[in-house]
Amino acid sequence: RDRTALQLHKPVLREALDWTAVALCDAVEAACGVRPGIKWPNDLVLNRKKLCGILTELEWEAESGEFSCVIIGAGINVSQDEADFGPEVAPIAISLAQALGTAPDRTELAAQVIRSLNALYDDFPAQNAAYLDHFRRDCLTVGNPIKVISGAEERIGTATGISDDFGLTVRWEDGSTETLTSGVVICPGGAYLGVAYTHEGIQVAQWMNERGITALMLRYRMPNGHSEIPLTDVRRMFRTVRENAAEWGIDPCQVGVM
């Protein structure tokens, strides 16, 4: 199919992850007769345990400097048992086989996932309001207490709703309110001789900022024979973002890198 149908200059780019959560809830319900809930922003939950995780990735055309598509990745636990998950994961994860008593037909589940993602593809971005309504209906985070750790600071609050751009609205213990969103740390590319700060860094960050996405460009050091140097800078950047998350309106647990 023509991938250009996903026009990434649309303001709803940041909602692609949340749309996918709704689509996969539809798929599981159609194939298995049970509907998972959504733990904001990108996990499906069944019986209070994680059933599925979702990630999205942007594909960027280096020649044109334009984003061309969103790549969706999701993993649904189908047939695992407690031994498969292991002692650390088993208390927080669940498979469809555990929830249903028997594993569903994988072919049917895959077919329903494809149908739901095809519907998402056709609906994007015109049906944003409908997906937002469904996300709000399925979100299990709303109404529950949450804890946000930012550096040495720990804040306790209650999730009160989902904003129109799929952010999580929170009322803190002191009565103040805030909408949590995600942030992106941009590490420009290069050829180990220099870094393409302008077209792979500044321009990308500006493009995201203009569309309501918090994006920060990292001027990392070149390795110069010491491969750990750039990674050290990335880790330091993550600490800085999380320490300033409250001021910048970012959920410190939702910080990515590209």
Side-chain angles (χ1 to χ4, degrees), residues 164-187:
D164 290 345
D165 59 356
F166 292 87
L168 183 69
T169 59
V170 178
R171 183 178 65 252
W172 301 113
E173 289 182 322
D174 62 5
S176 63
T177 60
E178 185 177 352
T179 299
L180 301 179
T181 58
S182 301
V184 178
V185 175
I186 298 171
C187 299

Side-chain angles (χ1 to χ4, degrees), residues 9-237:
H9 62 274
K10 297 291 186 181
V12 291
L13 167 64
R14 59 187 297 176
E15 282 84 50
L17 179 68
D18 309 288
W19 281 50
T20 302
V22 173
L24 293 182
C25 284
D26 292 342
V28 171
E29 183 177 30
C32 304
V34 295
R35 188 174 185 87
I38 299 171
K39 179 183 177 183
W40 184 88
N42 63 332
D43 285 342
L44 300 193
V45 176
L46 197 59
N47 297 344
R48 298 178 178 269
K49 295 184 177 182
K50 181 174 178 177
L51 176 70
C52 172
I54 305 165
L55 295 174
T56 53
E57 178 182 329
L58 295 176
E59 183 175 288
W60 181 62
E61 298 290 348
E63 293 81 4
S64 64
E66 296 291 333
F67 292 104
S68 61
C69 69
V70 175
I71 301 169
I72 295 170
I76 302 174
N77 298 328
V78 177
S79 58
Q80 296 95 327
D81 58 23
E82 188 170 333
D84 293 323
F85 286 126
E88 293 185 359
V89 177
I92 59 173
I94 193 171
S95 69
L96 289 170
Q98 289 175 309
L100 302 173
T102 184
D105 185 295
R106 297 169 69 93
T107 302
E108 174 62 17
L109 177 60
Q112 293 296 343
V113 168
I114 292 171
R115 290 190 185 103
S116 292
L117 292 179
N118 276 341
L120 180 156
Y121 187 100
D122 292 334
D123 292 340
F124 192 93
Q127 299 300 317
N128 190 59
Y131 278 80
L132 177 61
D133 286 343
H134 291 163
F135 190 94
R136 285 169 168 162
R137 177 194 64 194
D138 292 330
C139 185
L140 302 177
T141 310
V142 175
N144 286 305
I146 67 166
K147 177 168 64 176
V148 174
I149 301 173
S150 177
E153 182 183 9
E154 181 178 295
R155 303 184 74 189
I156 305 296
T158 301
T160 57
I162 301 297
S163 67
D164 290 345
D165 59 356
F166 292 87
L168 183 69
T169 59
V170 178
R171 183 178 65 252
W172 301 113
E173 289 182 322
D174 62 5
S176 63
T177 60
E178 185 177 352
T179 299
L180 301 179
T181 58
S182 301
V184 178
V185 175
I186 298 171
C187 299
Y192 296 101
L193 297 175
V195 181
Y197 286 123
T198 302
H199 66 280
E200 292 189 14
I202 295 173
Q203 293 178 0
V204 175
Q206 289 175 339
W207 186 90
M208 289 186 168
N209 290 161
E210 290 168 358
R211 286 153 180 83
I213 302 170
T214 301
L216 308 100
M217 190 198 75
L218 171 63
R219 288 184 175 270
Y220 59 89
R221 295 169 294 169
M222 298 303 296
N224 295 320
H226 300 277
S227 59
E228 74 279 1
I229 289 178
L231 182 57
T232 298
D233 290 348
V234 172
R235 288 171 174 165
R236 184 177 300 157
M237 180 65 168

